[in-house]
Amino acid sequence: MNYSIFDLLKLLGSLGFFLFGMKLMSESLQKVAGDRMRGILSAMTSNRFKGIFTGFLITAIIQSSSATTVMLVSFVNAGLVTFAESIGVIMGSNIGTTVTAWLISILGFKVEISMLVLPLIGLTFPLLFSKNTTRNNWGSVIIGFAIIFIGLDFLNHSTPDINNNPEILRFLTDFSNYGYWSVIIFLLIGVLLTMLIQSSSAVMALTLVMCFNGWIAFDMAAAMVLGQNIGTTITANLAALIANTSAKRTATAHLFFNMIGVLLILPVFFPFLDLISSITVSNGFDSPMVAAGQTSQQTAAAIPIALSIFHTIFNLLNTFILIWFVKPLEKLIVKIVKQKEDDEEFRLQFISTGLLSTIDLSILQARKELMVYTERVEKMFHHTRELMKTNSSKKITHYQHKIKKYEEISDQLEVEIAAYLTEVSKQELSHQSAENINKMLQITTHIESIADSCYSISNAISRKTSGKLQFNEDMYGNLLQFSDRISELFCLMIGVVRDGQLDINFHEFRSLMQNIKKDHDKLQQEHFKNLRKGGYKTKVGVIYADIYTELLKMGVLADEVVSLLVSQEKPVIEKIY
């Protein structure tokens, strides 16, 4: 068997295709993720038992635990499912994969979902040309889903062709006579083969061939099955390479769950095999427990059934034991896979799906969420200021990516916070509670508008960069100085929203806002004067004006937020957008 550089490039290309499908599906899901879809997935995974059933059902249908966990990583990355909710689905997918083993053992084949992928793309492709944004995004979701399967299939066919050359593994017979160490060796072989071939089903078929030819005994085959359980987790971890922290935690949970199960079974490995042998014999088959090379026709028929029983009972027991330790497992993985700086999730932190027992508690919950929302937009504003300061193309790209991500988060959070407050407002409310909810709805809108202004500045700088335009020193200095004044005002607003600093000197705040208005008028007058004199090109001037106008909008919005919380007076400047 030859494996050339070209074959290696095919493997890398297959991996790239697979990751592209994961990225396309995840990003498209973020665009189409409405309350209904989010609600359905949350209901399906609302507790560990529902999650297990969901994982089992999906894996049994699509015949691939790898594809199930990759989709799960994509859902978590899109914010449709939390890391905690994903753990139950992982457990269920491990049980679901045993259906594949039974199909191979009894029928001799597995359902090839990849055969339906191209017809699926053919049916979905017209949606990409739809003028309806929702249909267009759903088309991208389905095609991303299809590309994941194509990528998995390419990965399977791009790896060294051990499937058609099983004699390569005949040398493994020499490792069967080391007692308990042989179990460890064959377990590691199962891990490596599954990582290499990218298909636990293919490795299961190889294991059966090796048993049938008498190269290894049933106990070594069972050890390889344990290794396959660990090796199959590599696919989800590959998908998580381009995902956020929660998705990485989901992939890590899959690895930990399977590894813990293997560690639990190893101390009782041989007694457990005796139990499997007894169950196999009681169902009318020969005992699979014979030495390598002494396999009869009846024993050869019994081994696939025995391995399927072993695989099924192992996964059922593993799930039954670990289902009671979901919380400790979750805490352990959170400690190991730490949250990266600025790696935000598309999730609410305090607002749950239902209202709390009292209106006051529901309002308090919404107020906490509003604080988190404001902090996220504060980070976005910080990135915007850093973007304005830098001339490095690498840093510009970095900050623009961050700002775009925060804009997506901001849009989603505004919808969910507003929807929750609207539900609360339908209850019987006191006058004060109704007023508080009304203010929070307005503040939510204002905060989101600040995020919009940050994104508009990012787009303006993108136009400047792509057009290879430059600000002169005066323009650059004016924008930084003006943004400093807005930052000062913004910090006061953050303090009011986050910390409830209602004792701020409101007259000083208003004075600051008046000075910002004067600064803006001065910038505008100088800008028009420079345009008339030809001090800079019109294209540069338009971008310059767009930026200082968006900065003023942020000041206006910050003033309105503080006015809602501190005073009944109208803002010093009316809305200009």
Side-chain angles (χ1 to χ4, degrees), residues 339-374:
Q339 184 84 25
K340 291 183 179 178
E341 185 182 358
D342 297 335
D343 189 2
E344 298 286 349
E345 300 176 39
F346 293 76
R347 300 290 301 188
L348 298 173
Q349 293 188 17
F350 294 98
I351 293 177
S352 56
T353 51
L355 302 181
L356 294 182
S357 55
T358 67
I359 298 299
D360 289 339
L361 285 176
S362 294
I363 292 175
L364 177 62
Q365 196 177 34
R367 180 65 186 269
K368 288 181 179 179
E369 199 65 65
L370 190 56
M371 291 178 194
V372 175
Y373 185 28
T374 307

Side-chain angles (χ1 to χ4, degrees), residues 199-249:
S199 171
S200 57
S201 300
V203 179
M204 172 68 84
L206 274 173
T207 306
L208 293 175
V209 169
M210 293 167 69
C211 287
F212 182 79
N213 289 325
W215 300 342
I216 60 172
F218 171 70
D219 51 358
M220 297 302 103
M224 286 185 67
V225 170
L226 293 179
Q228 293 161 28
N229 261 38
I230 297 174
T232 193
T233 64
I234 187 63
T235 311
N237 280 279
L238 285 173
L241 289 175
I242 57 172
N244 61 24
T245 302
S246 290
K248 286 181 171 65
R249 287 171 177 168

Side-chain angles (χ1 to χ4, degrees), residues 388-389 391 464 468-481 523 526-527 529-531 533-541 543-545 547-548:
M388 291 170 60
K389 293 177 182 178
N391 287 317
K464 180 174 79 75
K468 297 182 179 179
L469 305 173
Q470 293 293 332
F471 292 148
N472 61 39
E473 288 186 9
D474 288 339
M475 298 168 79
Y476 185 70
N478 288 339
L479 288 178
L480 292 183
Q481 187 176 9
L523 283 176
E526 290 178 353
H527 168 59
K529 183 179 178 180
N530 285 323
L531 279 179
K533 289 182 175 181
Y536 39 72
K537 293 181 180 179
T538 305
K539 286 184 178 180
V540 176
I543 295 171
Y544 175 63
I547 293 175
Y548 69 66

Side-chain angles (χ1 to χ4, degrees), residues 483-509:
S483 71
D484 288 341
R485 303 298 295 272
I486 300 300
S487 178
E488 187 179 348
L489 191 77
F490 201 64
C491 286
L492 289 173
M493 182 205 74
I494 292 291
V496 173
V497 176
R498 183 202 291 156
D499 306 320
Q501 295 174 357
L502 303 181
D503 58 342
I504 66 169
N505 190 321
F506 196 59
H507 294 292
E508 288 184 9
F509 180 85

